[in-house]
Amino acid sequence: MHLGSLLHPRGIAVVGASDTAGKAGYALTRTLSGFDGDLYPVNPAGGTIAGRTAYPAVTDIGAPVDLAVLAVPPRAVPGVLADCGKAGVTAAIVCSGGFAEAGADGAALQDTVTAVAREHGIRLLGPNTSGYVNPADGVFATFVPSVVDLPAGPAAIVAQSGGVNLALCFLAAAEGLGLRLGVGLGNAVDVGFADVLDHLAADDATAVIGLHVEGVPDGRRLVDAVARTAVGKPVVVLKVGRTDVGDFARSHTGAITGPFELTRAALAQAGAVVVDDPAELVDALRALAAGRVPATRRPGVGVVTGQAGPGLIIADALAAAGVPVPALSTASRARVGELLPPLTYQDNPVDTGRPSETFPEVAATVAADPGIDALAVYALDEPDALDLAATVRVIGRSAGGAVPVLVGSGGLPAVLDARQRELDLPLFRSPDRLARAMSALVADSAAAYRLARRADGWRPAGRTLGPEPVDEHRAKVLLAEFGLTVPRRYACDTRADAHHALEALGGPVVVKIRDAGITHKSDVDGVRVGVRTAADLDDALDAIDRSASALGTVPRYLVERQAPAGPELIVGATRDAVFGPAVLLALGGVGVELAADPILRLAPLSDVDTEDMVAALPERLLAGYRGAVPVDRAAVAAAVRSVAAVLLHHDDVAEVEVNPLRLTRDGPVALDAVIVLEQPAGEKEVRG
Amino acid sequence: MHLGSLLHPRGIAVVGASDTAGKAGYALTRTLSGFDGDLYPVNPAGGTIAGRTAYPAVTDIGAPVDLAVLAVPPRAVPGVLADCGKAGVTAAIVCSGGFAEAGADGAALQDTVTAVAREHGIRLLGPNTSGYVNPADGVFATFVPSVVDLPAGPAAIVAQSGGVNLALCFLAAAEGLGLRLGVGLGNAVDVGFADVLDHLAADDATAVIGLHVEGVPDGRRLVDAVARTAVGKPVVVLKVGRTDVGDFARSHTGAITGPFELTRAALAQAGAVVVDDPAELVDALRALAAGRVPATRRPGVGVVTGQAGPGLIIADALAAAGVPVPALSTASRARVGELLPPLTYQDNPVDTGRPSETFPEVAATVAADPGIDALAVYALDEPDALDLAATVRVIGRSAGGAVPVLVGSGGLPAVLDARQRELDLPLFRSPDRLARAMSALVADSAAAYRLARRADGWRPAGRTLGPEPVDEHRAKVLLAEFGLTVPRRYACDTRADAHHALEALGGPVVVKIRDAGITHKSDVDGVRVGVRTAADLDDALDAIDRSASALGTVPRYLVERQAPAGPELIVGATRDAVFGPAVLLALGGVGVELAADPILRLAPLSDVDTEDMVAALPERLLAGYRGAVPVDRAAVAAAVRSVAAVLLHHDDVAEVEVNPLRLTRDGPVALDAVIVLEQPAGEKEVRG
């Protein structure tokens, strides 16, 4: 294994080891002192540290060392690493800060460190990290003392920040979740998310993986590693940086999004479960470590509660997360009706009223329902009235036994600790935590379904469109070649041509300025709708001529058949600096960009991806908004694919935007289209 | 005190007491058995129950009883309550379900129960509730056994659901927060939120109050009770029912909102802190029980961390919650710069790198900064490097000592339990929980500021507009009288009048159908913009004539000066069935109603309310969207007040909607206005 000497070392040198309390090298030496392989303190002063002989330098050890942990000032790091290389050390952790995160000098030093490590073939974790913990092997290569009591178990944490790594490890332990590994990547000059994920994918002792992501330089590499890993085991991601604003793109396709949402969407598309906070990460890992729901397009959840109020909290949280809670089959309802008094709520969720002895069989009946893929059970701790562990056993013996169950309860900590010991499953201690853990279980199942149908990776097309800028007319020709419906229209160079076009098309028509340099035609009075007469047309052409004159260009016109009314969407494709080709679907209309959450994915897109994008539009729009016909979902999905295809097939297309895509009775029509080409550096210019 | 015999009884009868394990009456008798007042089991069979003499009926007890707790079948409740009345019992809890929540028969029975209680002057908690806990008085009037170990303390919980009440009490206890009271209201036929809040407002032992709200029949009563209570102590609310859709109003002002968001907005307006989940409720209560931030318009938060990654999580969560984290003063930055090595991040948040001995003074310096009203400190547990309790003491002795401090740390539970014992403050065990607790502290301070300036309550105006329906022209006349700017226009009854209007106004004008029965004029082709010539006008009038003919009405016209371009808002006022007059501000434009969160408040509005509403608009709009001038906030606030005033001044106005309110260079202009009058039952009709 590539990261074997880093993560499963047999011999460890602590460089900067110290007996002075308060120093990082002191704490490091102590946390590592329980390691049952060979541990070598290194300090220029030599002597004895933590009861072991200290060596002046790594080269003095004279025995095989896999891993060197460095707690030395940043300036000393390159020399120590070179020593390590000479001594045959193949992995190192640099805990010190003061590198790229600390300005230009630090960045230069970081480059030196990276080069030295590469020269000597050393896999480097950090710099600027707290290291890692590997409880099963007794390796606690970090400087917070209580890590040595972290329990071993099935979960791996990979955090961008060393501090967050430890915070997450402690939270996991507090919930009874043991760790296979907890790694803080720090500045990640060598070992990054992809390396650790590939290592964990192949590690049988790792059952579930939690990631903490701030931002990465190569998003595709992260996403592809997640996809490779998630095939075999669940990957749960906490993305931080919600409030950052990025430069997703030049036009307002970019202005309405940011890397936070794109990162989340891309990771979910690659098979990860994306969560909102550390507690949710830990609960998701606990739920998934106990078992996954098989890959399913839209898994259905059953809910059985002993109290209606917590049931409402669960149903509310599941609905907010978009988790289906389907009605039970007639047969299941009949059986539940036999088991419960008539006053209780017998659909899904099923509330039993105060639990009676039929509770386990009610739960088993719901679990066995054909529409149910996972079951959530919640009841306050009332040992006289209900035994949750026995309930789980009854479900296990019944036809519902194949369905994963999550259990929640309320009671004092000591009581719930006792219940947890009786269960083979994680116990969730509030109804909303149960619901969010269930949402994660369902998200993992849907992600696995999506992942199995993932589109092939992206590579350059070897084809270009430029160098001439692309005007609206040509953009529409191209999009039509890729299957998009565009209005009948004429590209006109003269006013006379425009008048012929009006005659040929009949009114009403839309008249627009045709100039590849203008992205927002409305902003320069370059669009006139509802033109029916020659007089109207002259008026419109006058306005365009004035705009062109103001911009110093020759006026040219586009005259096109006006489409019928209908709701409008925006469909865009762009090249994100971090993730490469990305696609956006959003509600249209001026002002929406201030309010709506755009729906984002990386390109290329699978059929599941485009279906999911369309399904994420507001339900009221899809159903037929204000008298409109229901949205033709397949046609909108096809339009998204067309826009993506134009970008994917031409390496010099920076951005494609159809705004609006109008949803007419006859299907979606691209009323406007912009294609922006990559510009050579120094020629960038924005007009309009 | 009105609820004294209910919540602080000296004698308690348990009706339906039982020695049969599994029965509610068994559990109830046991949980109450530690009560050190007089406890009387009541059971028709008599005998001995839980070691006490059982009485066949309440009337047989023959000693003073304040409270009867009923665990009897629903049909038996009226008779038992009548007995209680005869025996001089003044308060009762009905735990049984099977009342209004169980259908028509149950509702009838509930009416009977309510009438019997009223007849005998009995204050009734329930039915359909788990009762309440009052640990200090040793009253555990509920049937979940481990409640008897709930600790006494400063927090009161008032939950709509009995099950949620206990779940929240247990969560509070798990976080070390003791309880003054935990009440489940159940069906609340008599004792409701307002009664308990008024009781708690006057109770010196209650420091903080947490509410769980599903839905209430009289929202104004709840909101007014919250306002009375929040003057003296913090009120934190968890509102459940996010995914319900209500019938806020008839037009699409209603269609874009629902009671969930209105309830949250109304409670915050009344001085409450509104949270999203049970964990956040408990953390908010813990933070607020330790101390409030004085009432401040926009309190500033300082953040000092020992690790940058958790600091980013904190900053992210605070930013998402809209909490200001202001830059430090030059003096504070200079001092922090002296205390920290140059590599650390020295603005706010301040990250110290691995904590050194200067950490306490860094924290004290930030706390003393003039822009800082509360301080959040987070560091992983590294006892060699940092003593959090000592840090808090140093801040307390410094100029920052007046500023509330919240502390967070990461470590194993036993370690953090020890740290918690060293602190006088609640310790938050993850960075995001610290951030959300801090958000609650800040929200409470801002709510107190708002509450001190709350507008007077609402009462009928004694004036009407009807019965004639109000057309757009008259609506604009009215709105103009209340200060709103409307376009110059002519109400025309004939086509000739319309042509005169065009001449008088000059083009371009907007021509609209004028018919009080049509709410959405665009949907019936009743609006034509950009009309400049007589021919254009005839075309527009033709379209209107056709629409009127199709609707079977006489065509009338409105011809008005077309306003310059600009972003658009929607301003509406309506009478909510639960809350009464309510006001809405939202982004305008077709399609936005599918996406944007409307900003809601109850009317009447204070100046702070309207300022807050405007400030909740997207920052990019306020700053001057796509070349527009920055929004005139005061003018938009005034427009909101005008719309509210038209509704508040006329008791028969059901709804006022200005859509759009266009934001021009010269200020906001109401381009369209609809006033809907209350219609007598049976005459409701919707057209257009």
Side-chain angles (χ1 to χ4, degrees):
Chain A
M1 279 187 296
H2 235 61
L3 299 184
S5 28
L6 175 67
L7 300 176
H8 304 279
R10 287 150 303 172
I12 302 177
V14 183
V15 189
S18 168
D19 261 341
T20 307
K23 288 202 165 188
Y26 169 87
L28 252 178
T29 313
R30 262 102 204 127
T31 59
L32 278 167
S33 62
F35 176 55
D36 64 3
D38 299 312
L39 186 69
Y40 308 101
V42 176
N43 190 306
T48 302
I49 295 175
R52 287 181 166 84
T53 302
Y55 297 85
V58 179
T59 43
D60 297 323
I61 295 173
V65 170
D66 291 319
L67 170 66
V69 187
L70 279 65
V72 300
R75 293 259 148 236
V77 170
V80 172
L81 281 181
D83 274 2
C84 287
K86 285 174 210 150
V89 176
T90 53
I93 304 175
V94 179
C95 298
S96 337
F99 294 90
E101 84 283 5
D105 288 356
L109 184 58
Q110 179 166 305
D111 289 344
T112 305
V113 165
T114 311
V116 173
R118 190 167 299 145
E119 183 191 334
H120 293 281
I122 296 172
R123 296 308 309 258
L124 183 66
L125 181 66
N128 188 27
T129 177
S130 65
Y132 74 84
V133 296
N134 170 352
D137 292 352
V139 187
F140 298 96
T142 184
F143 42 72
V144 172
S146 63
V147 292
V148 297
D149 294 321
L150 284 168
I157 305 277
V158 189
Q160 189 147 1
S161 144
V164 173
N165 174 48
L166 295 178
L168 293 175
C169 289
F170 289 128
L171 287 175
E175 298 297 337
L177 179 65
L179 295 164
R180 170 61 173 168
L181 188 73
V183 185
L185 297 177
N187 293 8
V189 296
D190 174 29
V191 175
F193 282 111
D195 305 278
V196 182
L197 280 169
D198 286 339
H199 174 86
L200 295 171
D203 175 45
D204 290 340
T206 301
V208 288
I209 301 166
L211 305 185
H212 159 260
V213 177
E214 291 173 352
V216 290
D218 184 346
R220 247 342 130 147
R221 187 158 179 248
L222 168 62
V223 160
D224 288 341
V226 165
R228 286 193 300 273
T229 309
V231 168
K233 51 195 74 173
V235 178
V236 183
V237 183
L238 172 65
K239 168 77 177 96
V240 175
R242 180 182 302 276
T243 48
D244 275 353
V245 175
D247 53 359
F248 182 52
R250 281 191 295 278
S251 83
H252 65 265
T253 291
I256 61 176
T257 183
F260 177 76
E261 287 303 343
L262 180 60
T263 307
R264 284 169 63 99
L267 288 164
Q269 192 181 2
V273 175
V274 180
V275 296
D276 289 327
D277 61 47
E280 209 175 328
L281 179 87
V282 170
D283 280 349
L285 293 176
R286 291 172 69 213
L288 288 162
R292 299 175 90 171
V293 175
T296 307
R297 184 80 177 96
R298 279 173 64 77
V301 169
V303 180
V304 179
T305 63
Q307 292 82 26
L312 183 57
I313 289 177
I314 293 168
D316 207 28
L318 290 176
V323 174
V325 180
L328 300 180
S329 70
T330 310
S332 301
R333 289 191 66 171
R335 181 68 189 126
V336 169
E338 290 163 17
L339 293 166
L340 289 180
L343 301 179
T344 50
Y345 190 75
Q346 304 185 350
D347 205 335
N348 190 13
V350 178
D351 179 54
T352 67
R354 187 159 185 272
S356 71
E357 65 278 6
T358 63
F359 189 98
E361 204 179 333
V362 170
T365 303
V366 175
D369 186 277
I372 298 304
D373 298 293
L375 181 71
V377 175
Y378 182 93
L380 292 172
D381 187 66
E382 292 185 78
D384 288 344
L386 176 65
D387 181 337
L388 280 172
T391 299
V392 171
R393 285 193 296 272
V394 169
I395 299 168
R397 285 194 300 268
S398 83
V403 163
V405 181
L406 295 183
V407 178
S409 187
L412 283 170
V415 167
L416 296 184
D417 289 347
R419 296 294 166 263
Q420 176 66 85
R421 286 190 292 273
E422 295 162 17
L423 281 166
D424 282 337
L425 299 169
L427 179 68
F428 296 93
R429 297 179 182 215
S430 76
D432 60 308
R433 285 180 61 186
L434 173 63
R436 279 183 289 170
M438 181 53 85
S439 303
L441 211 57
V442 163
D444 174 68
S445 166
Y449 180 95
R450 197 160 51 231
L451 179 56
R453 289 150 187 84
R454 189 173 183 241
D456 279 345
W458 160 72
R459 61 196 74 77
R463 209 177 308 127
T464 57
L465 261 189
E468 279 307 298
V470 181
D471 69 17
E472 178 182 348
H473 179 64
R474 190 168 160 225
K476 284 180 169 170
V477 168
L478 259 165
L479 284 161
E481 284 170 9
F482 282 91
L484 197 64
T485 302
V486 296
R488 268 189 69 205
R489 71 202 178 284
Y490 291 89
C492 308
D493 288 340
T494 67
R495 294 176 69 113
D497 286 352
H499 280 277
H500 289 306
L502 173 58
E503 277 163 38
L505 294 168
V509 297
V510 182
V511 183
K512 302 190 231 182
I513 193 166
R514 181 159 65 87
D515 183 327
I518 299 174
T519 326
H520 297 303
K521 290 177 282 286
S522 302
D523 293 356
V524 297
D525 198 14
V527 181
R528 195 62 66 86
V529 300
V531 172
R532 289 154 206 268
T533 64
D536 288 350
L537 178 57
D538 277 324
D539 206 48
L541 297 174
D542 288 349
I544 290 173
D545 290 355
R546 280 192 300 273
S547 298
S549 163
L551 294 166
T553 62
V554 177
R556 295 185 307 159
Y557 321 103
L558 192 67
V559 179
E560 75 184 7
R561 184 88 195 127
Q562 188 165 317
E568 296 180 346
L569 301 175
I570 302 173
V571 185
T574 186
R575 290 180 202 275
D576 183 73
V578 171
F579 285 97
V583 181
L584 171 152
L585 175 65
L587 297 178
V590 171
V592 167
E593 63 189 86
L594 290 165
D597 286 332
I599 301 154
L600 304 167
R601 293 292 185 281
L602 299 189
L605 298 157
S606 72
D607 288 350
V608 176
D609 291 333
T610 49
E611 264 178 43
D612 284 350
M613 291 183 81
V614 177
L617 289 167
E619 193 48 48
R620 289 166 58 209
L621 175 71
L622 294 172
Y625 175 58
R626 286 180 67 176
V629 293
V631 168
D632 180 344
R633 293 178 185 229
V636 175
V640 173
R641 276 195 295 276
S642 301
V643 169
V646 168
L647 184 118
L648 291 172
H649 280 72
H650 305 98
D651 295 332
D652 60 344
V653 170
E655 196 171 315
V656 183
E657 185 174 284
V658 171
N659 181 10
L661 180 76
R662 182 170 290 171
L663 304 178
T664 75
R665 268 170 201 277
D666 303 324
V669 182
L671 299 197
D672 195 3
V674 174
I675 294 179
V676 180
L677 299 182
E678 302 278 4
Q679 288 184 19
E683 290 184 27
K684 300 203 179 192
E685 184 189 4
V686 176
R687 276 196 297 162
Chain B
M1 282 187 293
H2 235 60
L3 297 185
S5 28
L6 175 67
L7 300 176
H8 303 280
R10 286 149 305 171
I12 302 177
V14 182
V15 190
S18 168
D19 260 342
T20 307
K23 289 200 163 190
Y26 170 88
L28 253 177
T29 313
R30 261 106 203 124
T31 57
L32 279 166
S33 62
F35 176 55
D36 64 4
D38 299 313
L39 185 68
Y40 307 101
V42 176
N43 189 304
T48 303
I49 295 174
R52 287 181 166 84
T53 303
Y55 298 83
V58 178
T59 43
D60 298 324
I61 296 174
V65 171
D66 291 320
L67 170 65
V69 186
L70 279 64
V72 300
R75 293 259 148 235
V77 170
V80 172
L81 282 181
D83 274 2
C84 288
K86 285 173 210 151
V89 176
T90 53
I93 304 174
V94 178
C95 297
S96 337
F99 293 91
E101 83 284 5
D105 289 354
L109 184 58
Q110 179 167 306
D111 289 345
T112 305
V113 166
T114 310
V116 173
R118 192 167 298 146
E119 182 192 336
H120 291 281
I122 296 172
R123 294 309 308 259
L124 184 65
L125 182 65
N128 188 28
T129 177
S130 64
Y132 74 84
V133 297
N134 170 351
D137 292 351
V139 187
F140 298 96
T142 184
F143 42 72
V144 172
S146 63
V147 292
V148 298
D149 294 320
L150 284 167
I157 304 277
V158 190
Q160 189 146 2
S161 144
V164 173
N165 174 47
L166 295 179
L168 293 175
C169 289
F170 288 128
L171 288 174
E175 298 298 337
L177 179 65
L179 294 164
R180 168 61 171 168
L181 189 72
V183 185
L185 298 177
N187 294 7
V189 296
D190 174 31
V191 175
F193 282 110
D195 304 278
V196 182
L197 281 169
D198 286 339
H199 174 88
L200 295 171
D203 175 45
D204 290 340
T206 301
V208 288
I209 301 167
L211 305 185
H212 159 261
V213 177
E214 291 174 353
V216 291
D218 185 346
R220 253 331 138 149
R221 187 158 180 249
L222 169 63
V223 160
D224 288 341
V226 165
R228 286 192 300 273
T229 310
V231 169
K233 49 195 78 174
V235 178
V236 183
V237 183
L238 172 65
K239 168 75 178 97
V240 176
R242 179 182 303 275
T243 49
D244 275 352
V245 174
D247 51 0
F248 182 52
R250 281 191 294 279
S251 83
H252 66 265
T253 291
I256 60 176
T257 182
F260 178 76
E261 287 303 343
L262 180 61
T263 306
R264 283 169 64 100
L267 288 164
Q269 192 180 2
V273 175
V274 181
V275 297
D276 288 328
D277 60 49
E280 208 175 329
L281 179 87
V282 170
D283 280 348
L285 293 176
R286 291 172 69 212
L288 287 162
R292 300 175 90 172
V293 174
T296 307
R297 185 78 178 99
R298 280 173 63 77
V301 169
V303 180
V304 179
T305 63
Q307 293 82 26
L312 183 56
I313 290 178
I314 293 168
D316 208 27
L318 290 176
V323 173
V325 180
L328 300 180
S329 70
T330 310
S332 301
R333 290 191 65 169
R335 181 67 189 128
V336 169
E338 289 164 18
L339 293 165
L340 290 180
L343 302 178
T344 51
Y345 189 75
Q346 304 184 351
D347 204 334
N348 190 15
V350 178
D351 179 54
T352 65
R354 187 159 186 272
S356 71
E357 65 278 5
T358 64
F359 189 99
E361 203 178 336
V362 170
T365 304
V366 175
D369 186 276
I372 298 303
D373 298 293
L375 181 70
V377 175
Y378 182 93
L380 292 171
D381 187 67
E382 292 185 79
D384 287 345
L386 176 65
D387 180 337
L388 279 172
T391 299
V392 171
R393 285 192 297 273
V394 168
I395 299 168
R397 285 193 300 268
S398 83
V403 163
V405 181
L406 294 183
V407 177
S409 187
L412 284 170
V415 167
L416 296 185
D417 288 348
R419 296 295 166 264
Q420 176 66 83
R421 286 190 292 273
E422 295 163 16
L423 280 166
D424 282 337
L425 298 169
L427 179 67
F428 296 93
R429 297 180 181 214
S430 76
D432 59 308
R433 285 180 61 185
L434 173 63
R436 280 183 288 171
M438 181 53 85
S439 303
L441 210 59
V442 163
D444 174 69
S445 166
Y449 181 95
R450 197 159 52 231
L451 180 56
R453 290 150 186 84
R454 189 172 183 242
D456 280 344
W458 160 71
R459 61 195 75 78
R463 207 176 309 128
T464 58
L465 260 190
E468 279 305 300
V470 181
D471 69 15
E472 178 182 347
H473 179 63
R474 191 167 160 226
K476 285 180 168 169
V477 169
L478 261 164
L479 284 160
E481 285 170 9
F482 282 91
L484 196 64
T485 303
V486 296
R488 268 189 69 205
R489 71 201 177 284
Y490 291 90
C492 308
D493 288 340
T494 67
R495 294 177 68 113
D497 286 352
H499 279 277
H500 289 307
L502 173 59
E503 278 164 37
L505 294 168
V509 297
V510 182
V511 183
K512 301 189 229 184
I513 193 166
R514 181 159 65 89
D515 184 329
I518 298 173
T519 326
H520 298 303
K521 289 177 282 285
S522 300
D523 292 357
V524 297
D525 198 15
V527 181
R528 195 64 66 86
V529 300
V531 172
R532 288 154 205 267
T533 65
D536 287 351
L537 179 57
D538 277 324
D539 206 48
L541 298 175
D542 289 348
I544 289 173
D545 289 356
R546 280 192 300 272
S547 298
S549 165
L551 293 167
T553 62
V554 176
R556 295 185 307 159
Y557 320 102
L558 191 68
V559 179
E560 73 184 8
R561 185 89 194 124
Q562 187 165 318
E568 297 181 346
L569 301 175
I570 301 173
V571 186
T574 186
R575 290 179 203 275
D576 183 72
V578 171
F579 285 97
V583 181
L584 171 152
L585 176 64
L587 297 178
V590 172
V592 167
E593 62 188 87
L594 289 166
D597 285 333
I599 301 154
L600 304 167
R601 292 293 186 281
L602 299 189
L605 298 156
S606 72
D607 287 350
V608 175
D609 291 333
T610 49
E611 263 179 43
D612 283 350
M613 290 182 82
V614 176
L617 289 168
E619 193 49 49
R620 289 167 57 210
L621 174 71
L622 293 172
Y625 174 57
R626 286 179 67 177
V629 294
V631 169
D632 180 344
R633 293 178 183 228
V636 175
V640 172
R641 276 195 296 276
S642 301
V643 168
V646 168
L647 185 119
L648 291 172
H649 280 71
H650 305 97
D651 296 331
D652 60 344
V653 170
E655 196 172 315
V656 183
E657 184 174 286
V658 171
N659 180 10
L661 180 77
R662 181 169 291 171
L663 305 177
T664 75
R665 267 172 200 277
D666 303 323
V669 182
L671 299 198
D672 195 2
V674 174
I675 293 180
V676 180
L677 300 182
E678 302 279 3
Q679 288 183 19
E683 290 185 29
K684 300 202 179 191
E685 185 190 3
V686 175
R687 276 194 297 160

Coordinates of all heavy atoms in Angstrom, one line a residue, chain B residues 37 48 179 194 218 237 291 377 424 465 482-483 517 543 547-548 676 687:
Chain B
G37 N -45.5 16.3 49.3 CA -46.9 16.7 49.7 C -47.7 15.4 49.9 O -47.2 14.3 50.1
T48 N -54.8 -1.0 48.4 CA -53.5 -0.3 48.6 C -52.8 -0.3 47.2 O -52.7 -1.3 46.6 CB -52.6 -1.0 49.6 OG1 -53.4 -1.1 50.8 CG2 -51.3 -0.3 49.8
L179 N -34.1 22.0 35.2 CA -35.4 22.4 34.8 C -36.2 23.0 36.0 O -36.2 22.5 37.1 CB -36.2 21.2 34.3 CG -35.7 20.7 33.0 CD1 -36.3 19.3 32.8 CD2 -36.0 21.6 31.8
A194 N -50.2 30.9 26.5 CA -50.3 32.2 27.1 C -50.4 32.1 28.6 O -49.7 32.8 29.3 CB -51.5 33.0 26.5
D218 N -55.0 30.7 18.0 CA -55.0 32.2 18.1 C -53.5 32.6 18.2 O -52.9 32.7 19.3 CB -55.8 32.6 19.4 CG -55.9 34.1 19.5 OD1 -55.2 34.8 18.8 OD2 -56.7 34.5 20.3
V237 N -37.8 29.6 20.8 CA -38.9 28.8 20.2 C -38.4 27.9 19.2 O -37.7 28.3 18.2 CB -40.0 29.7 19.6 CG1 -41.2 28.9 19.1 CG2 -40.5 30.8 20.6
G291 N -26.4 34.1 30.8 CA -26.4 35.6 30.8 C -26.8 36.1 29.4 O -26.6 35.4 28.4
V377 N -15.0 31.7 22.4 CA -13.7 31.1 22.5 C -13.7 29.6 22.2 O -14.5 28.9 22.8 CB -13.1 31.4 23.9 CG1 -11.7 30.7 24.0 CG2 -13.0 32.9 24.1
D424 N -17.7 28.2 35.1 CA -19.0 28.7 35.6 C -20.0 28.9 34.4 O -21.1 29.3 34.6 CB -18.9 30.1 36.2 CG -18.3 30.0 37.6 OD1 -18.5 28.9 38.2 OD2 -17.7 30.9 38.1
L465 N -64.2 50.2 3.6 CA -64.0 50.7 2.2 C -65.2 50.3 1.3 O -65.5 51.1 0.4 CB -62.7 50.1 1.6 CG -61.4 50.9 1.5 CD1 -60.5 50.1 0.6 CD2 -61.7 52.3 1.0
F482 N -52.0 57.2 1.5 CA -51.2 56.7 2.6 C -49.7 56.8 2.3 O -48.9 56.1 2.9 CB -51.6 55.3 2.9 CG -52.8 55.2 3.7 CD1 -54.1 55.1 3.1 CD2 -52.8 55.2 5.1 CE1 -55.2 55.0 3.9 CE2 -54.0 55.2 5.9 CZ -55.2 55.1 5.2
G483 N -49.3 57.6 1.3 CA -47.9 58.0 1.1 C -47.2 57.3 0.0 O -46.0 57.6 -0.2
G517 N -62.6 42.9 -10.6 CA -62.8 41.5 -10.4 C -61.6 40.7 -11.0 O -61.5 39.5 -10.8
A543 N -57.4 44.4 -27.7 CA -57.1 43.2 -26.9 C -57.9 43.2 -25.7 O -58.5 42.2 -25.2 CB -55.6 43.1 -26.6
S547 N -60.9 40.7 -24.3 CA -60.9 40.0 -23.0 C -62.2 40.3 -22.2 O -62.8 39.4 -21.6 CB -59.7 40.5 -22.1 OG -58.5 40.2 -22.7
A548 N -62.6 41.6 -22.2 CA -63.8 42.0 -21.5 C -65.0 41.2 -22.1 O -65.8 40.7 -21.3 CB -64.0 43.5 -21.6
V676 N -58.4 43.7 -2.2 CA -59.5 42.7 -2.1 C -60.2 43.0 -0.9 O -59.7 43.0 0.2 CB -58.9 41.3 -2.2 CG1 -60.0 40.3 -2.1 CG2 -58.0 41.1 -3.4
R687 N -61.9 35.4 -10.4 CA -61.7 35.5 -11.9 C -60.3 35.9 -12.2 O -59.6 36.4 -11.4 CB -62.7 36.6 -12.4 CG -64.1 36.1 -12.6 CD -64.9 37.0 -13.5 NE -65.0 38.3 -12.8 CZ -65.3 39.5 -13.4 NH1 -65.4 39.5 -14.7 NH2 -65.4 40.6 -12.7

